[in-house]
Amino acid sequence: NAGVMQNPRHLVRRRGQEARLRCSPMKGHSHVYWYRQLPEEGLKFMVYLQKENIIDESGMPKERFSAEFPKEGPSILRIQQVVRGDSAAYFCASSPTSTSMFTPNTGELFFGEGSRLTVL
Amino acid sequence: AQTVTQSQPEMSVQEAETVTLSCTYDTSENNYYLFWYKQPPSRQMILVIRQEAYKQQNATENRFSVNFQKAAKSFSLKISDSQLGDTAMYFCAFTSRNTGNQFYFGTGTSLTVIP
């Protein structure tokens, strides 16, 4: 049972280019979360998606960032016109259900290995 | 708003010894989950242990145990018989149904196990 798969593991972009990060959740998981980790910092929530729906994007910068989780295929985090401050590790996580308090096996996120974006 | 605080940026422990990592949090929720995640140099986040706030009994997973003090909003992780493979960043995290499925993470504690 493959875990959460992220690609690319490493991505280098020049300022102004676009970055696309992909995440395939664990089999059977329909909830995907994106987190950003800046150097020497913890993980910051960006967005939570279910298939074809953005549930919570309160952590997403208002401009240049977008995310999708189509009915078929991986979730994609897209960063347009990248700047040096976008350099970070981007982690995807999935869960089988909503992290509701009232379902069994709740509350655990399964993380991918992350995608490290470097903006030159 | 929920916040998670880890006040120990770095810690070290001798192999086979015991170490405790601190975590405090702030919330007005009554039902929530707390977690410790481990991030080894390979960078993949791995769940270490989970605690449901409505359970009074402290969670235990082999050499890992927590000291959950709900009134004090404290959630420390104790690692017994430390092993070299325990060297990693450790993140404390919080979530609840009412936080919109967000997980809130602390800034992490870098633990080094010394042979």
Side-chain angles (χ1 to χ4, degrees):
Chain A
N1 186 15
V4 178
M5 304 300 292
Q6 287 188 249
N7 69 83
R9 292 291 309 280
H10 301 276
L11 182 64
V12 179
R13 285 288 180 265
R14 296 190 181 280
R15 281 180 297 171
Q17 292 184 319
E18 179 179 287
R20 284 189 180 224
L21 309 178
R22 297 174 191 79
C23 169
S24 296
M26 285 184 70
K27 186 176 181 180
H29 289 192
S30 58
H31 300 249
V32 166
Y33 307 75
W34 285 95
Y35 284 80
R36 177 165 61 177
Q37 185 179 32
L38 295 170
E40 311 302 325
E41 293 188 14
L43 282 78
K44 300 293 185 184
F45 169 80
M46 299 183 74
V47 62
Y48 162 46
L49 311 102
Q50 294 178 26
K51 283 284 187 181
E52 301 184 276
N53 287 303
I54 297 174
I55 306 303
D56 181 351
E57 57 181 349
S58 58
M60 287 276 274
K62 298 300 181 189
E63 299 178 349
R64 302 187 298 107
F65 285 72
S66 63
E68 62 177 8
F69 189 17
K71 185 176 181 180
E72 301 292 338
S75 176
I76 295 175
L77 179 67
R78 181 184 179 200
I79 311 172
Q80 295 178 290
Q81 299 175 332
V82 296
V83 300
R84 288 217 174 103
D86 297 334
S87 295
Y90 292 83
F91 286 89
C92 172
S94 71
S95 67
T97 63
S98 168
T99 52
S100 164
M101 306 299 293
F102 303 103
T103 58
N105 194 30
T106 70
E108 179 175 352
L109 291 180
F110 295 82
F111 282 86
E113 295 184 334
S115 292
R116 173 162 291 283
L117 171 65
T118 301
V119 180
L120 301 177
Chain B
Q2 277 60 229
T3 59
V4 178
T5 302
Q6 293 178 251
S7 58
Q8 304 155 313
E10 295 181 353
M11 293 192 72
S12 61
V13 61
Q14 290 289 141
E15 193 175 6
E17 296 294 311
T18 295
V19 64
T20 299
L21 309 184
S22 301
C23 173
T24 59
Y25 58 95
D26 189 21
T27 184
S28 57
E29 303 285 335
N30 192 45
N31 291 322
Y32 48 87
Y33 285 91
L34 295 162
F35 307 83
W36 279 98
Y37 277 89
K38 170 184 177 181
Q39 186 180 39
S42 67
R43 300 195 62 81
Q44 185 165 19
M45 298 277 285
I46 304 165
L47 178 67
V48 174
I49 199 165
R50 170 176 60 195
Q51 175 79 42
E52 293 93 336
Y54 59 87
K55 289 186 177 179
Q56 294 186 349
Q57 186 174 7
N58 289 325
T60 299
E61 288 288 341
N62 300 315
R63 296 183 296 108
F64 299 88
S65 61
V66 300
N67 183 5
F68 174 47
Q69 302 289 329
K70 190 172 183 179
K73 296 180 181 175
S74 171
F75 182 61
S76 60
L77 174 69
K78 185 172 83 171
I79 306 174
S80 304
D81 186 24
S82 297
Q83 300 176 0
L84 296 178
D86 296 334
T87 293
M89 283 288 289
Y90 287 81
F91 292 97
C92 179
F94 167 102
T95 191
S96 78
R97 188 179 194 182
N98 293 328
T99 59
N101 299 288
Q102 286 194 35
F103 276 61
Y104 294 86
F105 286 84
T107 52
T109 296
S110 177
L111 176 68
T112 300
V113 179
I114 302 167

